[in-house]
């Protein structure tokens, strides 16, 4: 608490001091109000001056550090659509951030689910663990304070401070300050995210146009998919790209192109895969349904499904069936698979893969979908072009042979 003291000397008729009087007033609420107002003003200034989200997060950290210990602070944003938490800003003495993950049962997830502040010391931490409300994640702090960031009754994230040494680092005062500023802070972050989304949409639209032009200009299959790989790599992770064709008469899926780490792979020994029964296999599901699939935990997906129609590039740069891999191999964690259609019929599919779990979003899927139509058309044109070139070469050779025969 803060007090304002007023001291006054009491004199007698002779002008001598006979006593001192001190009057104290509790001004804690006034100080809190002033701190909050100052913090809000600084946040507003930071929002107007920051050139981007990272700079904004750094400014928020500096402002919070002026009113409470903040050596360890992080901001995690929650995506309700994907049910993922992303550590967009993280400063910590001991732990590295899990960049993007499902909420789980950590304290941050608890705040997201409850939409309530959590001030947790070691005693409460152990009690919550015993009750099964949370699970141990990272280095346990002496005191942990997490406040939900709420906009229109929806939790968009959590701002957290924690201290590994001083159990008294945070209390009611720090909790109230962080709660007071959390609402305007959530609004500021939401506004910046919306602005960033608009910029990303504009950039994606331009990238989509450029990719479409490059794909249309491709004169052979290798050039076509190399252009596609390059374009996708500019917008998201793409450790591997696999393009497969589908023969409906034979019900066979055959890999035509595999690009890994920018290099075209030898697939001459790779067998065609029979179309799996309904509901089995990732490629087969895409072909049967004609719908794209986004998987952010590929290993779990395969464990929950049947079939063997998945490839991966081994450490020896060989393309092999996914289920035949050694357990210690580095393999894809996230996958997007999109059908290729011609005359409304599925004629193949394109898959992009990342070693990172939770690497893809719906925006990445929509981007690949938008390119898929052009890819299917251009692939057919490339085949026709190659056939025409082959026919021209065959006729030229035949004419040359005929001329040779006539001169003999």
């Amino acid at each position: 608490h803060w007090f304002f003291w007023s001291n006054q000397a009491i004199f007698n008729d002779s002008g001598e001091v006979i006593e001192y009087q001190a009057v104290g007033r509790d001004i804690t609420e006034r100080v809190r109000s002033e701190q909050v107002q100052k913090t809000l003003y600084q946040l507003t200034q930071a929002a107007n001056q920051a050139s981007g989200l990272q700079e904004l997060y750094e400014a928020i950290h500096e402002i919070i550090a002026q009113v409470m210990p903040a050596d360890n602070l992080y901001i995690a944003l929650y995506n309700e659509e994907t049910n993922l938490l992303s550590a967009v800003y993280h400063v910590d003495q001991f732990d590295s951030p899990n960049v993007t993950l499902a909420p789980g049962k950590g304290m941050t997830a608890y705040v997201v689910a409850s939409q309530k502040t959590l001030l947790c010391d070691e005693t409460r931490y152990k009690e919550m663990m015993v009750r099964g409300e949370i699970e141990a994640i990272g280095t346990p702090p002496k005191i942990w304070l997490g406040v939900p960031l709420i906009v229109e009754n929806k939790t968009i994230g959590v701002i957290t401070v924690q201290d590994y040494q001083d159990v008294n680092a945070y209390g009611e005062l720090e909790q109230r300050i962080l709660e007071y500023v959390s609402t305007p802070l959530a609004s500021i972050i939401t506004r910046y995210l919306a602005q960033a989304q608009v910029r990303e949409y504009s950039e994606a639209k331009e990238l989509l146009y450029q990719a479409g032009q490059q794909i249309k200009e491709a004169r052979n299959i290798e050039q076509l998919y190399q252009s596609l790989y390059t374009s996708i790599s500019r917008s998201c992770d793409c450790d591997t790209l696999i393009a497969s064709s589908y023969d409906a008469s034979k019900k066979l899926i055959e890999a035509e192109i595999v690009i890994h780490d920018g290099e075209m792979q030898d697939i001459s020994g790779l067998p065609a895969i029979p179309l799996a029964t309904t509901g089995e296999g990732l490629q087969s599901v895409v072909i049967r349904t004609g719908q794209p699939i986004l998987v952010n935990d590929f290993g779990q997906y395969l464990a929950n499904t049947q079939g063997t129609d998945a490839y991966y590039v081994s450490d020896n740069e060989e393309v092999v069936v996914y289920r035949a891999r050694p357990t210690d191999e580095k393999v894809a964690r996230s996958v997007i698979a999109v059908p290729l259609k011609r005359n409304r019929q599925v004629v193949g599919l394109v898959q992009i893969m990342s070693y990172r779990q939770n690497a893809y979003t719906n925006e990445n899927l929509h981007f690949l979908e938008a390119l898929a139509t052009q890819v299917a058309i251009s692939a057919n044109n490339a085949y026709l072009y190659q056939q025409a070139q082959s026919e021209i070469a065959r006729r030229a050779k035949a004419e040359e042979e005929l001329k040779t025969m006539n001169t003999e």
Side-chain angles (χ1 to χ4, degrees):
H1 286 260
W2 280 269
F3 291 90
F4 176 79
W5 290 95
S6 175
N7 301 314
Q8 181 179 1
I10 305 300
F11 300 88
N12 61 17
D13 293 340
S14 301
E16 297 171 331
V17 177
I18 58 174
E19 66 178 67
Y20 290 96
Q21 290 183 350
V23 178
R25 289 188 295 117
D26 188 338
I27 60 169
T28 302
E29 288 302 319
R30 191 180 81 186
V31 172
R32 286 174 176 170
S33 179
E34 290 173 353
Q35 286 181 325
V36 169
Q37 291 305 315
K38 180 182 178 182
T39 304
L40 290 175
Y41 173 76
Q42 290 176 318
L43 287 173
T44 302
Q45 291 295 101
N48 292 331
Q49 296 172 5
S51 60
L53 279 167
Q54 187 60 32
E55 189 175 324
L56 174 64
Y57 296 140
E58 291 172 357
I60 290 169
H61 189 178
E62 290 179 8
I63 293 166
I64 297 300
Q66 294 175 19
V67 293
M68 67 184 71
D71 289 339
N72 306 284
L73 178 147
Y74 68 86
I75 298 170
L77 298 184
Y78 175 62
N79 187 320
E80 186 178 28
E81 182 181 342
T82 61
N83 190 36
L84 293 175
L85 271 170
S86 301
V88 295
Y89 182 80
H90 187 278
V91 175
D92 194 278
Q93 293 172 284
F94 297 106
D95 295 334
S96 299
N98 290 311
V99 179
T100 302
L101 71 165
K105 294 191 73 175
M107 288 187 285
T108 304
Y110 181 88
V111 173
V112 170
S114 66
Q115 292 192 317
K116 294 179 180 179
T117 297
L118 176 61
L119 179 60
C120 187
D121 59 13
E122 289 180 299
T123 300
R124 187 173 184 185
Y125 180 80
K126 292 175 182 177
E127 291 172 350
M128 294 179 72
M129 289 271 290
V130 170
R131 292 195 297 267
E133 294 174 328
I134 61 172
E135 294 176 353
I137 297 176
T139 306
K142 294 290 185 181
I143 187 81
W144 189 95
L145 173 61
V147 176
L149 301 173
I150 299 176
V151 176
E152 296 179 353
N153 296 321
K154 287 188 176 181
T155 301
I156 67 156
V158 178
I159 181 167
T160 298
V161 288
Q162 54 188 337
D163 198 289
Y164 293 102
Q165 294 158 338
D166 184 6
V167 71
N168 297 312
Y170 312 114
E172 181 186 352
L173 172 61
E174 289 75 22
Q175 177 177 333
R176 290 182 63 179
I177 290 175
L178 211 53
E179 286 176 336
Y180 275 129
V181 302
S182 65
T183 299
L185 181 57
S187 298
I188 290 170
I189 291 175
T190 300
R191 174 160 60 87
Y192 259 79
L193 288 172
Q195 292 171 350
Q197 193 172 30
V198 170
R199 288 195 298 271
E200 288 172 2
Y201 175 78
S202 178
E203 292 169 359
K205 191 174 180 180
E206 175 63 22
L207 184 58
L208 189 62
Y209 172 77
Q210 293 176 358
Q213 291 298 109
Q214 292 175 351
I215 289 170
K216 281 197 297 186
E217 294 169 2
R219 288 292 177 265
N220 58 63
I221 295 301
E222 290 79 8
Q223 183 184 352
L224 167 67
Y225 285 110
Q226 192 67 60
S227 295
L228 179 63
Y229 176 88
T230 301
S231 298
I232 292 170
S233 296
R234 291 174 184 165
S235 65
C236 63
D237 280 5
C238 187
D239 295 309
T240 304
L241 181 147
I242 300 177
S244 302
S245 63
Y246 173 60
D247 187 332
S249 62
K250 298 178 181 178
K251 295 188 181 304
L252 288 177
I253 306 166
E254 187 169 3
E256 295 194 332
I257 296 289
V258 176
I259 302 175
H260 180 67
D261 288 341
E263 299 293 330
M264 201 75 68
Q265 303 297 309
D266 179 15
I267 58 172
S268 57
L270 202 61
I273 295 175
L275 183 70
T277 57
T278 302
E280 297 181 356
L282 186 140
Q283 293 186 96
S284 296
V285 169
V286 172
I287 289 171
R288 284 187 179 278
T289 64
Q291 298 297 317
I293 287 179
L294 188 162
V295 178
N296 269 322
D297 189 342
F298 194 40
Q300 187 61 46
Y301 176 88
L302 289 180
N304 293 338
T305 58
Q306 301 296 318
T308 58
D309 65 338
Y311 302 120
Y312 89 106
V313 181
S314 73
D315 292 343
N316 297 324
E317 301 295 317
E318 297 176 345
V319 181
V320 297
V321 176
Y322 190 95
R323 291 181 190 273
R325 74 193 188 283
T327 56
D328 60 345
E329 285 276 16
K330 185 179 181 182
V331 294
R333 302 295 181 189
S334 302
V335 179
I336 295 179
V338 174
L340 298 176
K341 297 180 182 180
R342 194 162 56 244
N343 298 325
R344 298 184 179 182
Q345 300 298 313
V346 176
V347 295
L349 74 156
V350 172
Q351 301 173 79
I352 62 172
M353 302 180 178
S354 169
Y355 290 137
R356 288 195 306 115
Q357 193 165 309
N358 301 315
Y360 298 128
T361 65
N362 284 328
E363 286 73 23
N364 301 138
L365 184 147
H366 297 327
F367 183 81
L368 188 55
E369 269 191 302
L371 288 175
T373 301
Q374 184 61 56
V375 168
I377 294 171
S378 296
N380 188 53
N381 291 341
Y383 278 125
L384 295 175
Y385 179 80
Q386 286 179 313
Q387 287 177 354
Q389 293 300 305
S390 297
E391 180 63 20
I392 291 171
R394 186 188 67 78
R395 291 185 180 184
K397 182 179 180 181
E399 289 176 1
E400 189 64 30
E401 290 175 350
L402 185 60
K403 287 180 182 180
T404 303
M405 291 175 60
N406 290 336
T407 57
E408 292 178 350

